[in-house]
Amino acid sequence: MELSIEELKKTLKRKDAMLLMLLVLWPALVSVGIRSQSGFFILEGIQVGALEFLYGQMVFQQIIFLPILIIIVVASMSFYKEIKEKQIYLYKDIPRTQILHSKYFSVYGTYFIFLIFYILSCFFFFFTIYAGAENAVNSFSASPENIGSILFDCFQILMLILFFIHVGISLSLRYSTGVTIFIALILYGIQNIIGFFGNIKYFTPFGYTDILDFPIADMRIVLLLSISIWLLYNIPLYRINRNYFKKAEFN
């Protein structure tokens, strides 16, 4: 655990990680844009509470893809750069699996720290700035009856982001930052078009970001199915990475 904490501290000090943390101010930009009626942010006819506002900012992460790209760069600096520059050799007395786990922890830990501050930022700027907008409802949710489905959608977006991060880690073990980003962008493009292929999307981690599209109404079944599909992709991916990292030559 000590190694994981040290890796996380080292990662958080990098410029790319600091750039990610700056994105916690995005909800402030949205709030100011709505209140100023600049026309850049338009949400006519939509009632928004704090939860709906948070959901909108989670959708931003998915659509704009910028936070995901930055965390993929963070992964590349943690894996590919240190492998290429043979910094990994400094850990020669530590089991390879432990090194891999510590680097996984540093990348995911960086994102979750960002996510916590991002969520807090959404609520803070909603109640301090956005709440005065015409379409704002000064409460936790504008539609209490839909809280469950909104939380479900937020969770599914988070699962999708975590999958992309895992893909970024997997690519960073093998390829340069440029190649890793290029392949990640191709995968992002596939994610955007896979919804046009009917029920095929439900066999991928991309298919569960909107519960209203799913033919089964029981949210518990959909949640269990989505987690199962997510694990079906991520567990083999981790095992492949672990085996690769154990056998890789770093010196």
Side-chain angles (χ1 to χ4, degrees):
M1 190 62 185
E2 183 178 349
L3 179 61
S4 297
I5 297 298
E6 289 301 316
E7 281 291 323
L8 177 60
K9 289 179 180 178
K10 184 173 68 175
T11 301
L12 289 172
K13 291 178 181 177
R14 294 193 177 112
K15 292 181 180 179
D16 38 30
M18 293 180 183
L19 179 60
L20 178 67
M21 297 306 167
L22 284 176
L23 290 179
V24 303
L25 297 176
W26 172 257
L29 179 61
V30 174
S31 300
V32 171
I34 293 290
R35 291 299 306 276
S36 65
Q37 298 181 340
S38 61
F40 186 71
F41 298 100
I42 301 175
L43 294 171
E44 295 180 356
I46 301 176
Q47 293 297 303
V48 177
L51 183 60
E52 288 79 14
F53 183 68
L54 171 62
Y55 170 67
Q57 307 321 304
M58 290 297 293
V59 171
F60 158 77
Q61 286 196 51
Q62 177 191 355
I63 294 177
I64 302 300
F65 204 61
L66 181 59
I68 303 173
L69 281 181
I70 294 176
I71 199 67
I72 288 175
V73 172
V74 170
S76 183
M77 295 299 103
S78 183
F79 285 93
Y80 180 78
K81 184 172 182 287
E82 293 196 6
I83 291 173
K84 182 180 179 182
E85 297 180 356
K86 304 190 185 306
Q87 296 178 31
I88 295 291
Y89 188 65
L90 298 174
Y91 304 98
K92 60 181 179 180
D93 297 326
I94 302 174
R96 290 280 183 93
T97 301
Q98 186 178 346
I99 299 171
L100 181 66
H101 289 170
S102 68
K103 291 191 170 296
Y104 261 86
F105 181 84
S106 69
V107 175
Y108 278 111
T110 298
Y111 177 74
F112 275 109
I113 290 173
F114 159 75
L115 181 63
I116 289 170
F117 282 106
Y118 192 76
I119 292 172
L120 293 175
S121 176
C122 287
F123 287 133
F124 176 79
F125 289 113
F126 175 82
F127 286 112
T128 57
I129 301 177
Y130 192 104
E134 292 183 3
N135 68 327
V137 176
N138 195 14
S139 63
F140 179 70
S141 176
S143 305
E145 68 279 6
N146 294 324
I147 288 178
S149 60
I150 295 173
L151 289 174
F152 175 90
D153 289 345
C154 287
F155 177 75
Q156 294 303 326
I157 292 173
L158 175 60
M159 295 274 282
L160 177 62
I161 292 172
L162 295 180
F163 174 71
F164 270 112
I165 293 174
H166 200 180
V167 170
I169 289 173
S170 305
L171 294 170
S172 296
L173 279 168
R174 300 161 175 83
Y175 306 111
S176 66
T177 304
V179 174
T180 296
I181 290 176
F182 178 73
I183 297 176
L185 287 173
I186 291 177
L187 187 62
Y188 174 66
I190 293 173
Q191 177 238 305
N192 285 331
I193 65 173
I194 202 167
F196 297 104
F197 292 91
N199 293 336
I200 293 178
K201 66 180 182 180
Y202 299 121
F203 294 94
T204 74
F206 311 138
Y208 298 87
T209 53
D210 191 345
I211 192 174
L212 296 178
D213 287 342
F214 199 75
I216 299 176
D218 193 325
M219 192 183 304
R220 293 168 297 181
I221 295 177
V222 182
L223 180 62
L224 181 60
L225 182 58
S226 65
I227 293 174
S228 299
I229 293 294
W230 190 86
L231 291 173
L232 185 63
Y233 281 80
N234 280 274
I235 291 176
L237 196 57
Y238 161 74
R239 289 180 175 174
I240 291 170
N241 291 341
R242 183 186 60 188
N243 292 336
Y244 176 85
F245 196 75
K246 281 182 176 180
K247 299 175 182 178
E249 294 293 335
F250 300 137
N251 50 23

